[in-house]
Amino acid sequence: MAAKPGIPKGTRDFSPVEMAKRNYIFNTIRDVYHLYGFQQIETPSMEMLSTLMGKYGEEGDKLLFKIQNSGDYFSGITDEDLLSRNAAKLASKFCEKGLRYDLTVPFARYVVMHRDEITFPFKRYQIQPVWRADRPQKGRYREFYQCDADVVGSDSLLNEVELMQIVDTVFTRFGIRVCIKINNRKILTGIAEIIGEADKIVDITVAIDKLDKIGLDNVNKELAEKGISEEAIAKLQPIILLSGTNAEKLATLKTVLSDSETGLKGVEESEFILNTLQTMGLKNEIELDLTLARGLNYYTGAIFEVKALDVQIGSITGGGRYDNLTGVFGMAGGSGVGISFGADRIFDVLNQLELYPKEAVNGTQLLFINFGEKEAAFSMGILSKARAAGIRAEIFPDAAKMKKQMSYANVKNIPFVAIVGENEMNEGKAMLKNMESGEQQLVTAEELIGALTK
């Protein structure tokens, strides 16, 4: 007996209904991106490992899916290399390519490669899958879609403001209540400076970023393991646990970071973004959260994260400013800022809260029952007119029993059925049945179209 097929952990199949829901997500996000003047691009699923490595920090590099070279990948590898069992070293020789970890680094590579064709500032969006060799768990997958929007070639903080407006608009359209969290890597750098651990900024931000996942005690333990002094950890506590309104937090930070030029610059940037957004009438809450670190090395300014308020799940959107990302590809001064919607987590949230509009998940609107060759030929004429009018319609391909065809309509949640028998053909009409109410009426092709396009 053949073994039952399976799929890799952390990946999923999606049924037609699920795909309708996912397309509702993608289309909603795409429509909002278009409102703000963003244009779509795509990049390959695989990139050269040299493009990807070193851009996500040590932890991120470990999560890259590497692609084994085709052909004789043992050529150039010595017996000594094999016997060393050094996985990292062998992988570097076996693999030249990897699946993309996110869409931001490939975008930076795209900008550098196509700089002569691009008009700056360049506002692009990208909706494609990414892959991470992570441990699968609720809300975390190894293959998932990101829906990114980035602006590159502009230092203006109005870009950050507009991206937050996009976030607010998208989740308002979805009907999901969220909290938009904002911080600034310059503030975190300033904090590292005033506690005397400026050279440990990466270790500090990676640890702080895990606060809501592993708790304060474990964060402090991780900080100590990274060689950060007890005195510095003690100084850090009241800062990362700072509470109050956004204005109160900013006022406190101005005092706490008074000796850090970088830190004060971060406060100034955050104040501009928050104050400007306050005049925009956002529908969702926005909060300055000093525990937000987003443990990726390339962020240099504002950072964002979005949490759903009515569902227990991780971040459903994130992003930030990355002033020097294109520099690693030989293009200095490529300032950028972007956000990424986690479509798979949004899918789960919308499912749990049952927020999909009915029209978003309905497929076929009208099914023609097939009674035989003559009836099917007559039905096809009306069917063509219905489709030309934009009605999603189909005909059952076989002259099966009526019960089977009606069952097909019920299972697919098709709201209307057209019945064409000898009597209907003689009158040049069809019997239109509303599957929800059971009501039937004899109609012409034009009347049928009118009933379904109201």
Side-chain angles (χ1 to χ4, degrees), residues 9-167:
K9 285 183 179 179
T11 65
R12 295 179 289 177
D13 288 324
F14 293 99
S15 68
V17 170
E18 289 169 327
M19 280 309 304
K21 291 178 176 180
R22 285 167 68 79
N23 285 330
Y24 164 67
I25 293 170
F26 297 144
N27 291 338
T28 300
I29 294 170
R30 186 181 287 111
D31 288 347
V32 176
Y33 283 161
H34 287 162
L35 279 179
Y36 284 80
F38 286 79
Q39 296 177 297
Q40 187 173 17
I41 68 164
E42 287 197 350
T43 60
S45 298
M46 66 180 109
E47 295 275 352
M48 301 306 293
L49 276 178
S50 57
T51 297
L52 302 174
M53 294 290 286
K55 312 303 188 304
Y56 307 105
E58 190 178 339
E59 291 197 4
D61 282 351
K62 292 175 184 175
L63 300 181
L64 289 172
F65 272 113
K66 299 172 178 66
I67 300 173
Q68 184 176 286
N69 294 340
S70 54
D72 183 10
Y73 51 82
F74 277 105
S75 64
I77 296 176
T78 65
D79 290 345
E80 185 181 349
D81 289 333
L82 291 171
L83 291 170
S84 73
R85 303 177 70 85
N86 186 325
K89 186 178 178 183
L90 286 170
S92 69
K93 297 191 175 186
F94 281 160
C95 311
E96 294 174 349
K97 299 175 286 292
L99 294 177
R100 59 173 172 247
Y101 177 94
D102 72 352
L103 299 178
T104 307
V105 170
F107 171 54
R109 188 267 309 150
Y110 176 94
V111 169
V112 173
M113 285 185 66
H114 299 273
R115 69 182 93 179
D116 296 333
E117 308 155 28
I118 292 172
T119 301
F120 294 98
F122 182 40
K123 300 171 75 170
R124 87 80 168 88
Y125 78 88
Q126 201 169 340
I127 299 176
Q128 288 186 275
V130 299
W131 294 266
R132 296 183 185 178
D134 212 344
R135 184 172 65 85
Q137 54 185 284
K138 182 179 173 59
R140 179 173 291 178
Y141 306 99
R142 286 176 171 166
E143 178 185 61
F144 55 96
Y145 265 77
Q146 287 185 337
C147 308
D148 283 18
D150 287 80
V151 185
V152 69
S154 170
D155 295 323
S156 173
L157 292 173
L158 288 179
N159 296 313
E160 277 86 337
V161 170
E162 285 209 330
L163 288 172
M164 293 305 92
Q165 288 181 282
I166 286 173
V167 168

Side-chain angles (χ1 to χ4, degrees), residues 183-191 253 257 262-263 266-267 270 290:
N183 198 6
N184 195 297
R185 286 301 288 259
K186 294 184 180 79
I187 291 176
L188 293 168
T189 299
I191 291 170
L253 284 171
L257 299 175
T262 301
V267 174
S270 300
L290 298 185

Side-chain angles (χ1 to χ4, degrees), residues 224-242:
E225 288 171 354
K226 295 292 185 180
I228 295 162
S229 70
E230 284 185 28
E231 183 184 359
I233 293 172
K235 285 181 182 177
L236 194 58
Q237 304 309 293
I239 300 171
I240 63 174
L241 297 176
L242 191 64

Side-chain angles (χ1 to χ4, degrees), residues 138-429:
K138 182 179 173 59
R140 179 173 291 178
Y141 306 99
R142 286 176 171 166
E143 178 185 61
F144 55 96
Y145 265 77
Q146 287 185 337
C147 308
D148 283 18
D150 287 80
V151 185
V152 69
S154 170
D155 295 323
S156 173
L157 292 173
L158 288 179
N159 296 313
E160 277 86 337
V161 170
E162 285 209 330
L163 288 172
M164 293 305 92
Q165 288 181 282
I166 286 173
V167 168
D168 184 65
T169 304
V170 165
F171 286 110
T172 299
R173 290 191 178 192
F174 285 144
I176 299 173
R177 293 191 320 120
V178 298
C179 177
I180 304 168
K181 294 178 179 287
I182 179 173
N183 198 6
N184 195 297
R185 286 301 288 259
K186 294 184 180 79
I187 291 176
L188 293 168
T189 299
I191 291 170
E193 287 176 5
I194 65 161
I195 66 171
E197 297 284 1
D199 60 328
K200 296 286 182 71
I201 178 62
V202 173
D203 291 333
I204 291 170
T205 54
V206 167
I208 289 176
D209 198 42
K210 298 175 182 175
L211 186 68
D212 62 340
K213 302 180 188 77
I214 64 176
L216 185 60
D217 290 343
N218 286 320
V219 167
N220 290 337
K221 183 180 175 184
E222 184 169 322
L223 289 168
E225 288 171 354
K226 295 292 185 180
I228 295 162
S229 70
E230 284 185 28
E231 183 184 359
I233 293 172
K235 285 181 182 177
L236 194 58
Q237 304 309 293
I239 300 171
I240 63 174
L241 297 176
L242 191 64
S243 60
T245 65
N246 292 334
E248 288 167 347
K249 289 175 184 176
L250 288 167
T252 301
L253 284 171
K254 285 177 185 176
T255 303
V256 171
L257 299 175
S258 59
D259 292 332
S260 170
E261 185 180 344
T262 301
L264 288 177
K265 180 65 176 170
V267 174
E268 180 189 329
E269 291 178 3
S270 300
E271 191 168 36
F272 176 86
I273 295 166
L274 290 166
N275 287 348
T276 307
L277 286 169
Q278 199 168 7
T279 68
M280 299 294 172
L282 296 190
K283 302 290 193 298
N284 290 283
E285 175 189 356
I286 185 160
E287 175 195 347
L288 178 65
D289 182 357
L290 298 185
T291 68
L292 174 60
R294 295 203 56 81
L296 292 177
N297 288 346
Y298 54 68
Y299 289 126
T300 55
I303 46 180
F304 318 108
E305 204 158 85
V306 178
K307 296 292 179 73
L309 295 177
D310 300 316
V311 172
Q312 284 291 108
I313 198 167
S315 166
I316 55 178
T317 298
R321 166 74 62 175
Y322 45 90
D323 281 344
N324 52 14
L325 188 61
T326 54
V328 299
F329 297 122
M331 179 179 164
S335 179
V337 59
I339 52 171
S340 178
F341 288 94
D344 293 81
R345 288 187 177 181
I346 293 171
F347 175 88
D348 289 345
V349 171
L350 288 170
N351 270 338
Q352 287 186 55
L353 299 178
E354 298 181 349
L355 289 174
Y356 288 101
K358 190 175 180 182
E359 60 272 17
V361 295
N362 281 351
T364 302
Q365 297 169 273
L366 173 67
L367 173 71
F368 282 83
I369 300 297
N370 187 340
F371 286 118
E373 195 173 319
K374 285 191 300 180
E375 292 87 346
F378 181 88
S379 296
M380 289 293 285
I382 305 176
L383 177 61
S384 295
K385 291 178 181 177
R387 285 173 175 159
I391 295 167
R392 300 184 301 277
E394 59 181 291
I395 185 169
F396 200 85
D398 306 302
K401 290 182 178 178
M402 180 82 159
K403 183 179 178 182
K404 181 177 180 179
Q405 298 188 52
M406 295 298 276
S407 175
Y408 176 85
N410 281 323
V411 170
K412 289 190 68 176
N413 290 313
I414 299 173
F416 290 93
V417 163
I419 301 167
V420 177
E422 191 172 335
N423 293 337
E424 287 79 15
M425 288 196 320
N426 289 338
E427 295 193 41
K429 296 182 178 181

